Amino acid sequence: MKRAMDERAESAAVAEERVDEAAERISPLKAAFGKVATRVSDATGSVWTFAIAIVLIAGWAITGPVFGVSDTWQLIANTFTTLVTFLMVFLIQNTQNRDAKATELKLDELIRAIGDARNQFIGAELEPEEQLEHEKRAMEAEKLKPSADEPVPGSRDGRPHDGEPAGNR
């Protein structure tokens, strides 16, 4: 099991390198931003970053009485949090967009690889909202129809029962 996990991790690393190389060929600036966004997103999602934020907030609260809880003291905190939030929105959005695209590609590959799957859903994320709602309603209607795999009520082996003993079917 550990070997399989190691192989998957290695495959993922190789795939990531190929994606990075391809992105750099297309746009070096985009590739650099993607790398920075991923690293910052990973770092800011860590427990250590959360701990540092708690320490900064505590330090800010403790220094309040020292500075007389002045307008300047509050303005510094508000400006800092506004700038950090503003920048993080773009970094997080970039990371989420790339994750969503990767997920869409993986799902498209699964749809393509499964013989009984309908290929019409490949690239569904590009459809207009009305079309997606229509397809969703159609899929929900499909869910209500009995499938060939579902056992027939009153049957032990799932096949339709015509009243004859099982050995004669």
Side-chain angles (χ1 to χ4, degrees), residues 15-161:
E16 189 174 325
E17 286 177 22
R18 279 186 281 145
V19 168
D20 290 345
E21 290 171 3
E24 286 176 12
R25 283 192 302 267
I26 294 169
S27 170
L29 180 63
K30 221 176 187 182
F33 179 73
K35 286 180 183 178
V36 169
T38 299
R39 288 196 177 113
V40 171
S41 180
D42 289 344
T44 56
S46 75
V47 69
W48 292 109
T49 306
F50 182 75
I52 290 169
I54 295 294
V55 169
L56 285 172
I57 291 168
W60 174 77
I62 291 169
T63 60
V66 173
F67 293 106
V69 191
S70 67
D71 289 343
T72 303
W73 174 77
Q74 289 181 349
L75 182 63
I76 290 171
N78 288 339
T79 303
F80 178 75
T81 56
T82 300
L83 291 173
V84 168
T85 302
F86 182 73
L87 293 174
M88 288 303 295
V89 165
F90 295 105
L91 291 173
I92 290 169
Q93 189 63 49
N94 176 271
T95 303
Q96 285 182 335
N97 287 347
R98 284 186 291 115
D99 286 348
K101 286 177 186 175
T103 301
E104 289 165 6
L105 285 172
K106 291 172 186 178
L107 289 171
D108 288 348
E109 173 59 17
L110 288 173
I111 291 170
R112 188 197 60 75
I114 296 172
D116 291 338
R118 291 180 275 182
N119 290 342
Q120 71 193 37
F121 292 116
I122 292 177
E125 66 278 358
L126 303 174
E127 300 281 337
E129 187 69 25
E130 298 80 24
Q131 181 67 29
L132 291 175
E133 284 298 320
H134 174 73
E135 289 174 0
K136 181 180 175 188
R137 286 191 300 275
M139 290 301 292
E140 287 171 351
E142 285 282 324
K143 181 175 73 173
L144 299 175
K145 293 180 186 175
S147 74
D149 297 336
E150 288 182 24
V152 175
S155 166
R156 290 182 184 217
D157 62 2
R159 291 184 290 175
H161 185 50

